[in-house]
């Protein structure tokens, strides 16, 4: 799933918003049990649990096709190209919705209704997807993924907004970290459990086939219903807190102005190029990785799913650690360079050797986490704050565009030229990202920008500018 | 493909790639100039073919040697390859004796002393088993086998450089088993999967089963092959892993059944295939079905001689080794899903051809790794020069 989570850290740090001030003021009129008191930590922990599970369903179901790749292809008689369409259809709506999500939450629905609506989309999308499999209509599955996509990415925006609203100025970074780990947990659990669910359903139904697949996906839809329930509970609790604490409804605070695009600097465009060409070598690869590991490395389907999910597993603990390291050391371009080189190495290992793929995939997991930590914050250094929303929206939008297009190309390459050419294609994408990193380093160097400064130099600079301002 | 790959990376990339590809292509083709002249002769050369079957002789003359490819449908379909060290060696056939199938020596390669090596492959039987538990083990539930020597084979359909024969079982209503032999004068690769790389020293046999009614709904098939040779028949099967699947998508192995003198490292002759069969005549990736082979077992030579006229005519004391190739693995669709199966192999002398990366792959990797490196170098030099100029500017400033 596209890396929405990565930008949260930034938004959270910057939107230390005055709305927090009202908290606790109105709650004093009548004593409440800690767990029921919205201003109390214990209550917020309860809210946090619902918040984390809000996104669980969509993360779980996003990679359903990857987890059941062999079954989907066999039961519905697909080729790899049409299989990858399932991922492309998820990305298409988000090319536009990345700009709209924040607007819809702030101006149209409000956070509570918005979250419920997006959860409904996710839920209905997954049910349509499952129904398509159940009735052996592939087009219906594509429709399902499209509807699912409408909800999925915007739900992440909503989840973020809730977190800022409830935890700003308190345990916000921890909350972001927990939510990210929860998202990765959803992906991992999905990868490792869906094969088992399918085999159990196959035994119950009598034989594998599209009916079995449909039922398995319906069961997966249960996680979406669960997330929808979380959305409803959150809406109730948020409403209640608003009444008791007289606080405002949460806002994303994003202002998207498409005309800002013409002011984007060269450095920012290079960051966009890195983002697109890096991520297209990760997500579409994981999307069709299972069969690759089975065919090339003679893995069993269960082993293939496990190795495919290692990227997510590693990223759950590695993201906060690496994020901390990058924060402390600075030199973001250097870290991005290292991450891209490591990813290139991992893909070349997968392409040109028979070494155990656990090595390459673990390297991929670490480098992917490192890139996410180092790349996304760079945007904030090259864009004035009032354009930040537009820049991030634009970055996600073209990332989704890239994912949709590359997913289709990936399927065609596998069908026509096989996995070596596919891996070489991913290497080529990473190489383009690498060129952009090199370009970014020099552009930043020539402009005397601070992208590759150490954290100490940055702090010093900030101190100087602030004393100058005074 | 190339277009799709470069579409996102811009026109400059595309042009560069094309340049790299075309230059390396010419480099590759220039390296291989070895060719053989092919001449084809069909026995008997009457207009109406005899009911017993025919014999095709393809003579492939190289610079200082000759390869004789003999393909015969008298009895079980058989391919015999004879390697001689003389560019003028010939094949003499005594057709009445050959048809009578009671003496060896009715087919001779002259001069006898020029023969370096010979090997033959007999397609002896087609086995069918009921795989009701979908395990594809192929150890029990066999139906009575199809003896290919009992099939009635069609006249050879010749179109340069291929010959096709199709046969049907004695009591079968419809369906056929076909063999297509292709002899190549030069190195290359066919258009259709599995796209095995062939050399001038090899021929390709494609076997396909089309429309034969299975005897159960869960039938799978096994093809029985016998390799026949004089002193050194094909003995062991090597399975090699190979990282390049671009010509045969998703297949990372190549199997070769080789013969070597006294178990030495020099390979005299080979049968090479990729462990994949296809369920449709013009296959897509999802029509691929894996296949497996059994360990080669020594076979009684006499039985083989009885089944194939060509073996009887050429070898006086044949030694045979048998091997089965079974199509499909557990969980794969059964034969009746498409009623079609095709499998391809190469038969040749010398070492089997070894695949290499295509110019496309080499070109992309070279460009992908090279350009960032060059960029880093050029950028580094530029920055260095600018820095020097800055410092020298600074040095001059006090004088100004």
């Amino acid at each position: 799933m596209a890396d929405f989570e990565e930008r949260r850290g930034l938004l959270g740090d910057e939107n230390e918003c005055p709305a927090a001030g009202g908290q606790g003021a109105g709650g004093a009129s009548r004593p409440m049990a800690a767990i029921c008191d919205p201003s109390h930590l214990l209550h917020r922990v309860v809210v946090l649990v619902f918040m984390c599970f809000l996104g669980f369903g969509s993360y779980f179901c996003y990679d359903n096709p990857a987890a059941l790749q062999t079954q989907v292809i066999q039961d519905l008689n697909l080729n790899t190209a049409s299989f990858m369409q399932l991922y492309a259809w998820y990305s298409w709506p988000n090319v536009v919705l990345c700009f709209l999500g924040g607007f819809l939450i702030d101006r149209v629905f409000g956070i509570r209704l918005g979250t419920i609506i997006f959860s409904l989309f996710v839920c209905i999308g997954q049910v349509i997807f499952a129904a398509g499999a159940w009735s052996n209509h592939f087009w219906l599955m594509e429709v399902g993924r499209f509807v699912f996509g409408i909800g999925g990415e915007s739900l992440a925006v909503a989840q973020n907004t809730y977190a800022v609203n409830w935890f700003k100025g308190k345990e916000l970074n921890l909350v972001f970290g927990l939510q990210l780990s929860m998202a990765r947990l959803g992906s991992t659990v999905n990868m490792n459990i869906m094969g088992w669910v399918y085999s159990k359903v196959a035994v119950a139904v009598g034989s594998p086939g599209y009916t079995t697949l449909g039922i398995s996906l319906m069961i997966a839809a249960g996680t979406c219903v669960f997330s929808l329930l979380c959305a409803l509970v959150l809406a109730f609790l948020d409403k209640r807190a608003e009444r008791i604490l007289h606080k405002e409804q949460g806002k994303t605070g994003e202002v998207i102005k498409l005309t800002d695009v013409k002011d984007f600097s060269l450095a920012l465009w290079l960051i966009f190029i890195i983002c697109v060409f890096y991520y297209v070598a990760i997500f579409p690869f994981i999307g069709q990785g299972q069969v690759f590991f089975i065919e090339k490395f003679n893995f069993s389907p269960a082993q293939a799913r496990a190795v495919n999910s290692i990227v997510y597993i590693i990223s759950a603990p590695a993201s906060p650690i690496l994020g901390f390291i990058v924060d402390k050391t600075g030199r973001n371009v250097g870290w991005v360079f290292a991450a891209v080189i490591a990813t290139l190495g991992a893909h070349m290992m997968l392409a040109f050797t028979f070494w155990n793929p656990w090595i390459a995939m673990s390297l991929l997991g670490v480098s992917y986490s490192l890139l996410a930590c180092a790349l996304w914050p760079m945007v904030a250094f090259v864009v004035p704050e009032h354009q930040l929303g537009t820049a991030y929206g634009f970055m996600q939008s073209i990332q989704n565009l890239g994912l949709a297009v590359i997913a289709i190309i990936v399927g065609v390459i596998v069908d026509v030229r096989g996995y070596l050419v596919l891996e070489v294609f991913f290497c080529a994408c990473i190489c383009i990202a690498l060129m952009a990193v090199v370009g970014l380093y020099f552009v930043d160097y020539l402009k005397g920008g601070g992208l590759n400064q150490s954290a100490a130099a940055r702090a010093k600079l900030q101190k100087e500018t602030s004393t100058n301002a005074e | 493909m190339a277009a799709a790959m470069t579409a996102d990376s811009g026109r400059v990339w595309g042009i560069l790639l094309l340049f790299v590809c075309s230059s390396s292509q010419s480099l590759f083709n220039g390296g291989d100039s070895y060719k053989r002249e092919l001449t084809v002769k069909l026995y008997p050369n009457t207009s109406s073919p005899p009911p017993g079957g025919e014999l095709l002789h393809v003579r492939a003359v190289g610079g200082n040697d000759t390869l004789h490819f003999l393909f015969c449908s008298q009895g079980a379909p058989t391919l015999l390859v004879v390697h001689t060290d003389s560019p003028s060696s010939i094949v003499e056939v005594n057709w009445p004796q050959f048809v009578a199938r009671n003496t060896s020596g009715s087919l001779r390669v002259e001069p006898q002393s020029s023969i370096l090596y010979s090997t033959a492959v007999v397609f002896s039987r087609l086995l069918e088993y009921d795989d009701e538990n979908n395990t594809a083990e192929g150890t029990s539930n066999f139906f009575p086998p199809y003896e290919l020597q009992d099939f009635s084979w069609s006249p050879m359909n010749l179109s340069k450089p291929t010959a096709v024969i199709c046969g049907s079982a004695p009591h079968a209503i419809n369906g056929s088993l076909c063999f297509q032999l292709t002899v190549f004068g030069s190195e290359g690769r066919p258009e259709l999967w599995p796209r095995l790389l062939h050399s001038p020293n090899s021929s390709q046999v494609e076997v396909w089963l089309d429309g034969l009614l299975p005897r159960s709904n869960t039938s799978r098939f096994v093809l029985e092959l016998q390799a026949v040779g004089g002193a050194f028949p094909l003995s062991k099967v090597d399975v090699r892993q190979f990282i390049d699947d671009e010509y045969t998508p998703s297949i990372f192995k190549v199997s070769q059944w080789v013969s070597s003198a006294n178990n030495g490292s020099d390979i005299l002759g080979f049968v090479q295939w990729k462990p994949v069969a296809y369920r449709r005549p013009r296959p897509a990736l999802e029509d691929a079905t894996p296949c497996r082979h059994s360990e080669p077992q020594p076979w009684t030579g006499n039985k083989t001689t009885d089944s194939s006229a060509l073996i009887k005519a050429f070898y006086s004391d044949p030694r045979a080794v048998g091997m089965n190739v079974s199509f499909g693995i557990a969980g794969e669709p059964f034969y009746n899903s498409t009623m079609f199966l095709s499998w391809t192999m190469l038969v040749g002398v010398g070492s089997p051809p070894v695949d290499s990366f295509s110019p496309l792959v080499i070109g992309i990797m070279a460009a992908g790794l090279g350009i960032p490196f060059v960029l880093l170098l050029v950028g580094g030099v530029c920055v260095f020069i600018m820095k020097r100029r800055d410092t020298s500017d600074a040095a001059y400033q006090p004088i100004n």
Side-chain angles (χ1 to χ4, degrees):
Chain A
M1 179 169 276
D3 254 296
F4 180 80
E5 317 82 45
E6 315 304 350
R7 60 189 268 202
R8 287 172 176 166
L10 289 160
L11 290 172
D13 289 340
E14 277 144 28
N15 294 6
E16 298 293 339
C17 172
Q23 241 164 335
S29 60
R30 177 165 55 96
M32 276 183 282
I35 200 157
C36 303
D37 181 0
S39 61
H40 200 279
L41 174 68
L42 197 59
H43 185 79
R44 284 205 305 279
V45 170
V46 174
V47 170
L48 176 62
V49 171
F50 288 110
M51 231 176 253
C52 284
F53 280 102
L54 181 62
F56 187 81
S58 74
Y59 284 103
F60 186 92
C61 293
Y62 170 74
D63 265 329
N64 270 175
L68 293 173
Q69 189 185 3
T70 41
Q71 289 88 342
V72 171
I73 287 181
Q74 206 159 69
D75 294 347
L76 299 164
N77 246 325
L78 303 178
N79 55 23
T80 319
S82 39
F83 170 79
M84 287 307 286
Q85 288 282 359
L86 294 176
Y87 280 97
W89 278 110
Y90 175 88
S91 292
W92 288 126
N94 292 308
V95 175
V96 178
L97 279 174
C98 288
F99 294 112
L100 283 181
F103 173 78
L104 290 176
I105 290 175
D106 288 355
R107 304 282 170 80
V108 184
F109 302 128
I111 173 71
R112 293 189 284 268
L113 186 60
T115 309
I116 292 169
I117 288 174
F118 295 138
S119 298
L120 263 175
F121 267 107
V122 166
C123 233
I124 293 170
Q126 178 69 14
V127 169
I128 296 175
F129 180 58
W134 205 327
S135 59
N136 197 14
H137 289 307
F138 185 66
W139 63 267
L140 196 59
M141 294 177 77
E142 291 180 323
V143 171
R145 288 293 282 187
F146 184 82
V147 175
F148 182 76
I150 292 175
E153 217 86 336
S154 310
L155 187 61
V157 181
Q159 194 184 13
N160 175 48
T161 313
Y162 261 132
V164 172
N165 188 231
W166 277 83
F167 292 94
K168 69 197 139 199
K170 300 206 171 64
E171 306 86 3
L172 191 59
N173 280 318
L174 179 70
V175 169
F176 282 141
L178 277 175
Q179 285 187 346
L180 181 65
S181 299
M182 205 60 200
R184 297 289 177 254
L185 188 72
S187 306
T188 311
V189 170
N190 159 64
M191 283 282 189
N192 290 291
I193 209 173
M194 281 312 288
W196 177 81
V197 168
Y198 182 93
S199 63
K200 289 289 165 204
V201 174
V203 171
V205 171
S207 70
Y210 52 81
T211 318
T212 309
L213 183 67
I215 295 171
S216 308
L217 292 175
M218 276 301 177
I219 293 172
T223 60
C224 295
V225 174
F226 177 62
S227 289
L228 177 64
L229 291 178
C230 289
L232 292 170
V233 173
L234 269 179
F236 168 76
L237 290 177
D238 196 59
K239 182 90 183 164
R240 179 168 169 275
E242 187 184 287
R243 200 189 60 229
I244 297 173
L245 302 177
H246 309 295
K247 66 169 190 175
E248 274 178 47
Q249 202 173 182
K251 293 236 155 72
T252 63
E254 268 178 34
V255 186
I256 305 261
K257 251 177 76 188
L258 283 179
T259 46
D260 286 347
V261 171
K262 69 179 192 314
D263 301 326
F264 285 172
S265 63
L266 178 60
L268 185 59
W269 286 107
L270 286 171
I271 292 175
F272 288 168
I273 291 175
I274 299 169
C275 173
V276 171
F277 283 96
Y278 185 85
Y279 282 103
V280 296
I282 304 289
F283 293 112
F285 172 71
I286 293 175
Q288 58 75 59
Q290 193 196 349
V291 171
F292 172 69
F293 295 118
I294 294 173
E295 302 274 1
K296 180 162 177 176
F297 299 98
N298 297 323
F299 274 32
S300 72
Q303 282 176 313
R305 278 189 289 267
V307 73
N308 211 12
S309 66
I310 189 76
V311 174
Y312 293 138
I313 297 177
I314 287 183
S315 128
S319 293
I321 298 170
L322 292 170
F324 178 78
I325 294 175
V326 173
D327 276 347
K328 287 293 158 208
T329 56
R331 303 205 183 279
N332 288 42
V333 182
W335 287 116
V336 170
F337 185 79
V340 172
I341 290 281
T343 308
L344 182 63
H347 268 302
M348 283 182 71
M349 257 184 240
L350 291 170
F352 296 109
T353 71
F354 281 107
W355 296 352
N356 197 320
W358 284 100
I359 304 168
M361 291 303 278
S362 304
L363 184 61
L364 200 66
V366 174
S367 55
Y368 157 76
S369 314
L370 178 59
L371 183 115
C373 296
L375 181 73
W376 290 83
M378 279 207 292
V379 176
F381 293 116
V382 295
V383 174
E385 206 175 317
H386 69 275
Q387 291 181 349
L388 211 53
T390 315
Y392 276 122
F394 198 77
M395 189 154 160
Q396 272 188 294
S397 167
I398 56 171
Q399 186 192 0
N400 274 295
L401 184 69
L403 288 175
V405 172
I406 298 295
I408 294 171
I409 294 177
V410 161
V412 174
I413 290 178
V414 171
D415 281 340
V416 178
R417 295 304 293 267
Y419 290 104
L420 178 82
V421 175
L422 177 70
E423 277 300 323
V424 166
F425 173 73
F426 285 141
C427 288
C429 290
I430 295 287
C431 286
I432 293 172
L434 187 60
M435 288 172 215
V437 177
V438 172
L440 180 65
Y441 175 79
F442 288 120
V443 167
D444 182 59
Y445 184 89
L446 294 179
K447 278 175 55 184
L451 287 186
N452 208 32
Q453 274 174 341
S454 68
R458 251 179 223 158
K460 204 174 144 196
L461 196 73
Q462 203 165 25
K463 214 172 171 184
E464 276 168 16
T465 45
S466 56
T467 44
N468 285 349
E470 282 162 18
Chain B
M1 239 300 302
M5 302 202 64
T6 52
D8 47 29
S9 40
R11 202 165 292 156
V12 184
W13 250 78
I15 292 167
L16 191 106
L17 260 183
L18 269 180
F19 171 74
V20 173
C21 291
S22 56
S23 57
S24 51
Q25 190 105 48
S26 60
L27 199 85
F28 276 61
N29 292 347
D32 183 68
S33 55
Y34 192 64
K35 280 191 166 45
R36 288 181 182 276
E37 282 293 321
L38 303 183
T39 45
V40 179
K41 191 173 179 193
L42 192 63
Y43 297 91
N45 43 13
T46 52
S47 53
S48 59
E54 294 165 302
L55 172 68
L56 177 78
H57 173 214
V58 181
R59 190 163 173 265
V61 184
N64 49 14
D65 64 345
T66 307
L67 278 173
H68 299 280
F69 295 95
L70 293 139
F71 187 49
C72 177
S73 57
Q74 280 266 357
T78 305
L79 173 67
L80 169 67
V81 185
V82 184
H83 189 203
T84 66
D85 62 4
S86 140
S88 57
S89 67
I90 53 162
V91 169
E92 284 180 352
V93 181
N94 182 332
W95 186 250
Q97 272 186 17
F98 186 92
V99 176
R101 291 165 76 168
N102 50 19
T103 50
S104 87
S106 57
L107 184 146
R108 289 194 314 276
V109 175
E110 293 292 348
Q112 289 270 355
S113 59
S114 70
I115 299 179
L116 294 170
Y117 175 74
S118 69
T119 188
V121 178
V122 181
F123 299 92
S124 48
R125 297 196 295 178
L126 180 69
L127 312 173
E128 180 182 356
Y129 65 98
D130 184 3
D131 186 22
E132 52 185 3
N133 294 330
N134 204 352
T135 56
E137 274 162 7
T139 46
S140 55
N141 285 347
F142 279 97
F143 292 105
Y146 294 103
E147 297 283 347
L148 300 194
Q149 57 174 320
D150 300 335
F151 275 39
S152 49
W153 297 102
S154 68
M156 285 203 193
N157 185 357
L158 295 183
S159 65
K160 206 177 176 182
T162 65
V164 180
I165 55 166
C166 287
S168 46
H171 306 294
I173 307 145
N174 52 13
S176 58
L177 179 67
C178 298
F179 292 85
Q180 173 176 301
L181 171 76
T182 313
V183 179
F184 310 100
S186 58
E187 193 176 87
R189 193 188 296 278
E191 274 308 301
L192 278 181
W193 289 345
R195 304 200 65 193
L196 298 174
L197 176 72
H198 56 72
S199 68
N201 294 340
S202 56
S203 58
Q204 177 176 299
V205 179
E206 187 185 348
V207 189
W208 69 91
L209 186 59
D210 187 3
L212 184 75
L213 287 177
R215 286 171 277 187
S216 79
N217 285 333
T218 50
S219 278
R220 294 190 194 278
F221 285 89
V222 176
L223 185 65
E224 182 187 272
L225 307 173
Q226 286 166 23
V228 184
F232 308 111
L234 304 174
S235 49
K236 60 172 199 285
V237 179
D238 290 337
V239 180
R240 303 211 164 165
Q241 281 197 317
F242 188 61
I243 48 178
D244 191 354
D245 71 330
E246 59 186 309
Y247 300 110
T248 321
S250 87
I251 304 300
F252 291 91
K253 286 194 185 112
V254 58
S255 306
Q256 36 208 39
W257 193 11
V258 294
S259 84
S260 46
N262 303 323
N263 287 324
S265 57
D266 279 356
I267 293 173
L268 301 172
F270 66 89
V271 172
Q272 185 191 53
W273 69 92
K274 291 204 174 172
V276 61
Y278 293 100
R279 287 192 297 259
R280 282 184 210 281
R282 296 196 72 83
L285 189 58
E286 59 272 22
D287 302 320
T289 185
C291 52
R292 293 169 304 159
H293 61 85
S294 65
E295 273 306 300
Q297 302 280 336
W299 208 262
T300 39
N302 292 340
K303 249 174 118 179
T304 314
T305 340
D306 292 344
S307 67
S308 163
L310 184 55
I311 299 297
K312 180 79 186 171
F314 183 73
Y315 287 107
S316 53
D317 179 25
R319 295 214 271 163
V321 177
M323 185 193 71
N324 291 339
V325 176
S326 60
F327 305 109
I329 54 168
E332 286 275 312
F334 296 103
Y335 167 77
N336 72 355
S337 67
T338 56
M339 309 276 273
F340 186 91
L341 263 182
S342 92
W343 180 66
T344 305
M345 65 182 209
L346 289 184
V347 183
V349 299
S351 293
V354 178
D355 248 322
S356 56
F357 293 127
S358 72
L360 178 78
V361 168
I362 296 169
I364 292 177
M365 286 315 292
L369 296 177
I371 294 175
F373 187 71
V374 170
L375 224 65
L376 204 60
L377 219 65
V378 172
V381 170
C382 287
V383 165
F384 181 71
I385 291 172
M386 281 175 65
K387 226 178 176 176
R388 273 189 65 133
R389 216 175 45 196
D390 281 357
T391 49
S392 52
D393 279 354
Y396 280 118
Q397 263 162 12
I399 301 172
N400 279 343

